[in-house]
Amino acid sequence: YNLFWIGLENSGVQSSVNPISCPAGFQMVPANKSELVALGFHRFRCININTLNTFDNLIKRDQQAGMQSGAVLWSSPPIYRYNGCQGFSVGGYHLRDGCIPRDDAMDDFEDYINLMASRYNGSKYGKLSHFIVWNENASADWFDYSPVLARDDMSSAAIERRIDKYADMLKRTHSALKRHQQAALMYVSIDQIIELGEVPTHYGNRKLIDGIWARLGVNYSWSLAVHPYGEVDRPAPAVRYTFN
């Protein structure tokens, strides 16, 4: 599933260290201060009841059928993005789903993962077994750190800063999983482009994977979720990883 953060937290109400009032159609999560401490949340927030019910039913159904569920966890709500995040145009739409959370909203990102890890831990609402963190992260379109970094800034310093940011997201995901999950896997999402230079806003997955390895190594449990694209019977260019 694409389990969009923006689909869960789209009331426009800012999170708070104190309990908050949520508009109709939303519920406060966690439910009280005791639950906040017990489940490891940083703040209270308003969560869309309909979205939550939809995924409760889907993931519970999967578990009942003996299936494993996985989710791509991404797409920040506007209240946690940088106001000047550029986004990009594709297929006739201007998308900002790749806009990553602000540096001062990383506790909110961790709470989003913590909600998914605690709710879908194999008990009442089924289990999420595969946590894919953000989307095609060597791309500055899909991992959009603007306006902090211009999307076409492929300098070494900019690349290292992007990898630092993503590594922090992975570490926070890992912390949430350790609190609530058994036998769940965390994934780095990558596309098919291996090297820097083929696309102006892409620094290549080799550099991303090397960077994550340098920062996480074997101190964290992580794997790769690859989007190969391409035709099975069409040979791959040297700089791409395709189904072929």
Side-chain angles (χ1 to χ4, degrees), residues 28-41:
M28 187 180 74
V29 174
N32 50 57
K33 286 198 171 184
S34 296
E35 191 172 278
L36 180 139
V37 173
L39 295 180
F41 284 94

Side-chain angles (χ1 to χ4, degrees), residues 86 140 144-155 158 162 200-201:
Q86 296 172 316
D144 189 344
Y145 206 171
S146 64
V148 176
L149 299 171
R151 285 179 23 256
D152 61 354
D153 184 353
M154 293 294 122
S155 65
R162 287 189 187 96
T201 55

Side-chain angles (χ1 to χ4, degrees), residues 22 111 161 168 170 179 196:
C22 296
D111 277 0
R161 191 166 177 185
D168 185 28
L170 292 169
R179 286 183 207 115
L196 172 68

Side-chain angles (χ1 to χ4, degrees), residues 169-218:
M169 295 169 76
L170 292 169
K171 290 175 181 179
R172 286 170 175 270
T173 299
H174 194 266
S175 294
L177 295 182
K178 281 185 70 177
R179 286 183 207 115
H180 302 294
Q181 288 278 349
Q182 299 257 340
L185 297 175
M186 178 179 75
Y187 296 83
V188 172
S189 172
I190 60 174
D191 59 16
Q192 78 278 34
I193 300 172
I194 298 171
E195 304 292 356
L196 172 68
E198 188 181 358
V199 176
T201 55
H202 199 296
Y203 60 87
N205 288 301
R206 186 188 304 278
K207 190 172 288 292
L208 173 63
I209 296 167
D210 285 348
I212 296 300
W213 175 254
R215 290 159 175 81
L216 270 62
V218 294

Side-chain angles (χ1 to χ4, degrees), residues 42-110:
H42 294 279
R43 296 184 178 90
F44 296 95
R45 57 198 65 253
C46 295
I47 298 296
N48 188 301
I49 294 171
N50 184 59
T51 301
L52 206 56
N53 287 342
T54 296
F55 284 101
D56 287 352
N57 291 331
L58 289 169
I59 295 170
K60 181 168 59 178
R61 183 192 64 186
D62 290 351
Q63 180 174 259
Q64 291 169 347
M67 299 164 61
Q68 291 188 17
S69 299
V72 187
L73 299 156
W74 67 306
S75 189
S76 57
I79 55 174
Y80 303 126
R81 300 174 191 160
Y82 290 103
N83 288 333
C85 183
Q86 296 172 316
F88 72 108
S89 295
V90 60
Y93 297 94
H94 194 81
L95 300 180
R96 289 187 172 86
D97 291 311
C99 293
I100 59 174
R102 298 187 314 270
D103 293 348
D104 65 349
M106 291 302 288
D107 285 351
D108 295 291
F109 170 77
E110 187 174 338

